Every structure is written in C-alpha cells, then in structure tokens.
Amino acid sequence: MTRSDLVEELAARFAQLTQRDAEHAVKTIQDAVSDALVQGQRIEIRGFGSFSVSRRPARIGRNPRSGESVHIPEKRVPHFKPGKALREAVDFQPSPAQPAAPAAD
C-alpha cells in the first residue's frame, strides 16, 4: 500500500472527508511521527506498534571493489516493532503466495 492508496482508503471510509482533507491528515500524521523520531522520542500506537530510534555503532567495513577497509560512522535509524494485535492478525492470515506445507511421513 502506498501513501496515495492510504489517502484514497481514508477518503472512501469517511464520506465527510474530501481527497484533499484525507491527504492533509495523512501528511500531518507522517510529519508528526517523523518530527518525534528526529527528536529521539518513541511513538506508541496501541494495537499497531511502536516506532523508536535505534543506534548503529561505528564499524569498519570493506570496499567490495578495492578490498580496502573503510570506516563507517555511527548511525541513528528508525525502528518499528509491531504490537501484539498486529502480529497476531498478520500471523493468522495465510499468505496467498505460500503453498501449503507438505505432510510429514
């Protein structure tokens, strides 16, 4: 699902919202989450999951082309941990792309 799909779904579910209002709502939520993560805050949406900022320590990597060692600086990256309700909902629905498991003999 893309951002535009989310806007369309929101506008379809709530008849009082125009497409423009739905787009503004999605952008506002996205901006609020982004701003909070930039400030190092944790966001928790009950039943959905939580967003936080994780730290990746500095390390020594290798340039695959030349083979020389390269210093990779420390990074802060966003992290999402799904909530229990979301994990259970995803786990309950079988994926259409996966075939059934073979029977054990």
Side-chain angles (χ1 to χ4, degrees):
M1 175 178 265
T2 64
R3 180 177 164 167
S4 59
D5 293 338
L6 184 59
V7 168
E8 288 176 17
E9 180 74 23
L10 193 58
R13 282 195 188 187
F14 300 98
Q16 68 271 23
L17 282 180
T18 65
Q19 190 83 7
R20 180 181 228 166
D21 291 339
E23 189 170 340
H24 183 68
V26 170
K27 182 171 178 6
T28 301
I29 292 170
Q30 184 181 10
D31 290 345
V33 169
S34 297
D35 291 344
L37 289 175
V38 166
Q39 295 173 10
Q41 296 175 349
R42 182 173 180 273
I43 298 119
E44 181 178 336
I45 303 170
R46 297 282 167 114
F48 181 70
S50 62
F51 296 89
S52 60
V53 177
S54 296
R55 182 184 150 272
R56 287 190 188 160
R59 61 190 171 93
I60 302 296
R62 186 180 66 82
N63 181 335
R65 183 171 290 185
S66 65
E68 70 181 84
S69 294
V70 178
H71 174 73
I72 301 171
E74 177 182 50
K75 287 185 178 181
R76 292 176 24 159
V77 294
H79 176 76
F80 174 72
K81 181 177 178 183
K84 182 179 177 184
L86 178 60
R87 280 194 320 267
E88 289 174 353
V90 169
D91 189 39
F92 181 72
Q93 296 296 324
S95 175
Q98 293 179 341
D105 289 326

